[in-house]
Amino acid sequence: MRMWTREELYRPLKEKAEIADLHDYVSKSAYRQAYHVQPVTGLLNDPNGFILHKGVWHLFYQWCPWGAVHGIKYWYHVVSKDLIQWKNAGICIRPDTDMDNYGAYSGSAISAKDAICLFYTGNHRDPDFVRKPKTCLVKLYDDGRTAKLPWPLFDENPAYTENQRDPKIIYVEEKKSYYMLLGAQNAAMRGCVLVYESANLVDGWFFAGSLHVPGFEDFGDMWECPSIERICGRDVLMFCPQHIYLPRRGKAVNHSGYILGEMDWDRLVFTPSGSFHVLDFGFDFYAAECAANFKSADHTYLTAWMGLPDGSYPTDEEGWQGCLTLPRELSVRDRRLIQKPLPGLADLRNKEVRPSEMILPESCEMMVMCSGGDLELRLFTRKDLSGGLVISYQEEFHMITVDRSGMNLRINPEQGEIRQHLIDNELTQLRVFIDRSSVEIFVNEGDAVFTARVFPTEEEGNFYLSPNANARIWTLKSAVVDDFCA
Ligand code: FRU
């Protein structure tokens, strides 16, 4: 891999022409997605500022234009009317002031009268390269103009390490107050959440305290992207604990998950009613974000970065990396979240193809109905049905296994190439969304989801399904406009 100097990594993008050649090259990649949000060039990581504002869905992502590296970060903007069809809308937040001189890091949004208020972390570094994170505000007006508040809402908190970022804005009705959650690391190098409060979005912010989560005082050394959501009348604390091993997660140390419980905004205590669950049992899933939903708890939608903080992928060589997951609709059943694909995805179905031919279309949906017994679905096999990504079900333990070690192009093998999960009930259905370089497997209508990037080579275009199951397959239409908008 190419080595990047600090100057190259943090060079601001002055004009679109500077990445025109890279865009030309990237857009020819065989791995460009047909219905997932992906970067015009360079690297995409966290989704940010996900919100419905005046009938339009706005979503932003962390973007480094120069290549598949974590250098300077912009907020790139995409819009949708239905969460299915997405259009590029260009850069929204530029790291163009001293307070965000090394990047406009992750954050969230709230809808105001004539604008969306975007809160983000200014990744400020002083002349000695010491990081001093600032919490900043940009207003995106309905006419497309943006205005950045020229000073931070608040500076770094000296009682915590330099790792404090990813403001999540929440309005708490019963307190008639705004709260901002920040992912952080305390002086004992443990992950935690900082809570700020204000009656007003633009000023008056003060540090209210560190969120107490009994039983989770020692759970990884940093918590990124925290949020508290209200889903089906339950409180859900979502965050990404880092540098911790979890059962059946191989050597992965970064996780995106949640705890169900009860939030007490007076005492700043989140009382868990169960354990930490990962949101996704697959490989490439991080920094999940729910669309702002404090006004209506009817629907909660979630999307995430289909990638990992320390992952590398075959497209790195082509100058791009990362995409977002399909938005999913969340609900709570018993002690867990259920995640369903959106009903509108059915509109992307194009042609139904005959499974008996065992040819896997490039972008398709596969619906597998299971009638009992063990099962094996091998995707992206060679013509002789060898290799590929293997999804298997062992009835005796209700165990689903996803193994991608058989693919020609191996991805982050050091983190483990097999993921396993025990489902509560018998397997009845697998709904698999396949794009040119990803697979999202919804088990039993959202009981569990496995997400994986895959990079099939030309010879990996077939599939095999055990005879005790039936499949229907539809090719899917494109739903993202892959144009050069910056
Ligand atoms: C999570 C993260 C955030 C940070 C952003 C920078 O992937 O590290 O904590 O704000 O990415 O791009």
Side-chain angles (χ1 to χ4, degrees):
M1 264 310 277
R2 164 177 171 201
M3 291 300 289
W4 294 72
T5 63
R6 190 180 287 171
E7 283 67 32
E8 287 171 329
L9 282 174
Y10 294 103
R11 194 177 126 209
L13 177 71
K14 293 214 181 68
E15 46 190 293
K16 176 174 158 179
E18 292 172 284
I19 50 167
D21 289 347
L22 182 58
H23 175 263
D24 260 8
Y25 188 65
V26 163
S27 58
K28 295 190 185 96
S29 166
Y31 297 120
R32 292 301 277 176
Q33 300 276 57
Y35 58 96
H36 287 85
V37 172
Q38 62 197 334
V40 278
T41 62
L43 180 136
L44 165 158
N45 57 303
D46 312 358
N48 295 151
F50 190 10
I51 196 162
L52 177 68
H53 176 73
K54 301 193 177 165
V56 177
W57 289 97
H58 296 262
L59 179 56
F60 307 81
Y61 58 75
Q62 286 284 284
W63 181 51
C64 175
W66 302 118
V69 281
H70 289 274
I72 195 155
K73 294 287 169 76
Y74 290 73
W75 275 42
Y76 191 94
H77 187 191
V78 290
V79 290
S80 173
K81 290 216 168 102
D82 55 7
L83 294 173
I84 309 278
Q85 306 277 345
W86 291 96
K87 272 199 225 143
N88 289 334
I91 293 171
C92 179
I93 305 182
R94 293 171 184 273
D96 55 1
T97 65
D98 186 53
M99 60 188 179
D100 51 22
N101 57 351
Y102 281 81
Y105 275 12
S106 286
S108 57
I110 204 165
S111 192
K113 217 167 54 202
D114 56 348
I116 306 175
C117 296
L118 304 170
F119 298 88
Y120 71 99
T121 298
N123 183 34
H124 171 79
R125 287 187 184 269
D126 71 11
D128 298 323
F129 206 62
V130 177
R131 182 188 265 165
K132 305 250 168 79
K134 315 286 175 197
T135 299
C136 307
L137 166 64
V138 162
K139 279 186 164 191
L140 168 60
Y141 288 98
D142 295 347
D143 63 6
R145 272 182 316 120
T146 56
K148 188 183 280 189
L149 189 72
W151 51 78
L153 295 174
F154 49 89
D155 289 329
E156 69 279 11
N157 189 322
Y160 295 81
T161 75
E162 60 155 34
N163 290 308
Q164 26 187 304
R165 53 180 174 265
D166 311 336
K168 170 74 186 185
I169 180 85
I170 301 171
Y171 182 69
V172 179
E173 189 67 55
E174 63 265 29
K175 302 280 294 177
K176 299 267 176 285
S177 213
Y178 292 103
Y179 286 84
M180 194 113 76
L181 307 180
L182 261 64
Q185 179 180 57
N186 65 23
M189 308 295 269
R190 302 286 86 202
C192 61
V193 175
L194 309 185
V195 187
Y196 287 78
E197 188 182 341
S198 174
N200 179 315
L201 284 175
V202 184
D203 59 14
W205 288 97
F206 64 91
F207 179 53
S210 169
L211 181 70
H212 186 34
V213 190
F216 289 84
E217 292 78 7
D218 183 9
F219 195 71
D221 67 3
M222 167 68 188
W223 290 5
E224 294 190 316
C225 307
S227 78
I228 293 175
E229 306 293 335
R230 192 127 182 105
I231 308 174
C232 301
R234 303 280 295 275
D235 293 331
V236 185
L237 172 64
M238 292 190 178
F239 61 103
C240 299
Q242 296 195 293
H243 307 123
I244 181 171
Y245 291 117
L246 295 177
R248 293 188 287 277
R249 303 296 303 153
K251 293 265 178 319
V253 291
N254 301 303
H255 314 274
S256 195
Y258 67 95
I259 307 171
L260 289 183
E262 215 170 296
M263 180 61 199
D264 179 339
W265 290 99
D266 290 320
R267 292 164 51 235
L268 298 185
V269 179
F270 186 91
T271 307
S273 61
S275 48
F276 178 84
H277 301 276
V278 292
L279 278 158
D280 191 285
F281 298 101
F283 301 89
D284 308 288
F285 184 99
Y286 196 70
E289 194 192 14
C290 289
N293 76 345
F294 64 95
K295 273 197 190 128
S296 126
D298 292 354
H299 297 277
T300 307
Y301 299 105
L302 170 137
T303 182
W305 169 26
M306 222 195 278
L308 288 173
D310 43 13
S312 50
Y313 296 85
T315 59
D316 294 5
E317 304 292 338
E318 300 173 347
W320 70 286
Q321 185 195 111
C323 65
L324 298 181
T325 67
L326 290 173
R328 308 169 179 179
E329 183 165 358
L330 304 188
S331 55
V332 179
R333 190 192 302 145
D334 305 326
R335 294 159 166 259
R336 283 186 310 104
L337 285 179
I338 302 297
Q339 304 175 57
K340 294 195 178 177
L342 301 188
L345 282 167
D347 297 340
L348 290 186
R349 289 175 186 167
N350 197 10
K351 273 201 318 238
E352 183 157 4
V353 296
R354 299 225 327 251
S356 56
E357 282 163 21
M358 292 182 186
I359 294 169
L360 195 61
E362 273 192 337
S363 314
C364 67
E365 176 192 339
M366 188 183 276
M367 174 95 85
V368 177
M369 304 308 292
C370 320
S371 48
D374 292 357
L375 177 136
E376 193 169 84
L377 171 62
R378 276 187 250 139
L379 302 172
F380 313 107
T381 66
R382 303 182 192 101
K383 267 216 175 75
D384 65 4
L385 305 183
S386 66
L389 173 125
V390 183
I391 304 160
S392 52
Y393 173 63
Q394 198 184 347
E395 192 178 39
E396 182 159 12
F397 300 111
H398 290 185
M399 184 165 72
I400 309 266
T401 302
V402 179
D403 178 349
R404 63 175 174 183
S405 64
M407 299 290 299
N408 284 349
L409 295 179
R410 313 276 288 270
I411 305 156
N412 305 313
E414 68 293 344
Q415 301 206 14
E417 295 178 286
I418 295 178
R419 293 285 182 263
Q420 292 183 306
H421 176 62
L422 304 179
I423 54 174
D424 291 342
N425 303 307
E426 304 230 320
L427 179 66
T428 53
Q429 191 201 68
L430 291 174
R431 205 164 156 207
V432 189
F433 289 90
I434 298 170
D435 206 341
R436 295 196 183 115
S437 52
S438 68
V439 183
E440 286 152 288
I441 306 157
F442 291 84
V443 179
N444 286 355
E445 309 217 31
D447 258 5
V449 194
F450 291 76
T451 295
R453 294 304 302 272
V454 277
F455 298 87
T457 54
E458 253 170 56
E459 63 165 6
E460 297 174 300
N462 292 81
F463 75 94
Y464 163 85
L465 176 64
S466 3
N468 54 334
N470 292 311
R472 291 184 73 183
I473 303 171
W474 296 268
T475 60
L476 296 183
K477 294 178 227 159
S478 292
V480 290
V481 182
D482 199 8
D483 59 351
F484 184 36
C485 177

